[in-house]
Amino acid sequence: MGPQIVVALSWSWRRVRVDPLTGELDAGDRGGNAAEHAALEHGLRLAEELDGRVLAVTVGPPAAEEGLRAALAAGAHEAIRVARDDQLEPGHLVHNGADTAKAIATAVAEPDLVLCGDRSDDGGTGTTPAFLAARLGAAQALGVVKLESEGESLLAHRRLDGGSREVLRLPTPAVVSVEAAGVRLRRASLPAVLAALKATIRTIAAEPQRPRRVVSARPLRPRARELTAPAGTTAHDRMLELTGALQDRTPPTVIGPLPAAKAADELLGYLKRHGYLTGETP
């Protein structure tokens, strides 16, 4: 039996339209992106080479099954949807990478390899793979543009700054973030597309989310305070006075290196001399 390869697909906002009269957002265009399609193609190639199985997973409402059926048509062996219908705003799942990773982790059981896109199209930060790796206790590789097997090992080619490349030998389990570079998802045949439309997609209920604690509905604004008008006779003098450039300042003092205990004593002494600490410290 070959490795179990999980491909995580998002249901992100690819294009947002705003009604000019009501200001309502149109969520009609949602789905995966080129990076996730590249991750799926990498997974399918590895499964063919190593006699493995590809499991496509997504988090979202029933409409998100469209991407899963496309994955089944391309060659994925199984698809699972973690049912969640609380994505009310663009980027909800993207900016809650920990919640998304937790939902995906509930759907997979001890995978050998998890492939993700490096980020989604709706301003994604790419944090979901990191949270997922932490959940699964897996190694993580970022910026991967090529995956290949070498015996029982998996080699991941990473893109580095300046056009350099780095090759990592990954242990299992591993979570890999794939970039949309050099790999395109294969075109599914018509019989495969028709079969995917009738395929059964397993649904798993997500854990209920904790209610968010709203601290304030308005941005924090500091209280206004009155400042003494500068006394300079010219604009240049008044600017220097306002910016504090004319004040005498004690230059920074570099002490050390010191042992931790002496360094702490020096820091406490500085805070006392400048009025940040009063009284005796324990």
Side-chain angles (χ1 to χ4, degrees), residues 1-5 43-44 46-54 75 77:
M1 185 66 177
Q4 181 186 13
I5 302 172
L44 294 174
L46 289 173
E48 292 172 352
E49 182 179 352
L50 304 175
D51 191 25
R53 291 180 59 82
V54 175
H77 300 84

Side-chain angles (χ1 to χ4, degrees), residues 11 30 60-67 81:
W11 192 61
R30 305 185 77 158
E65 293 183 0
E66 179 182 354
R81 177 177 65 88

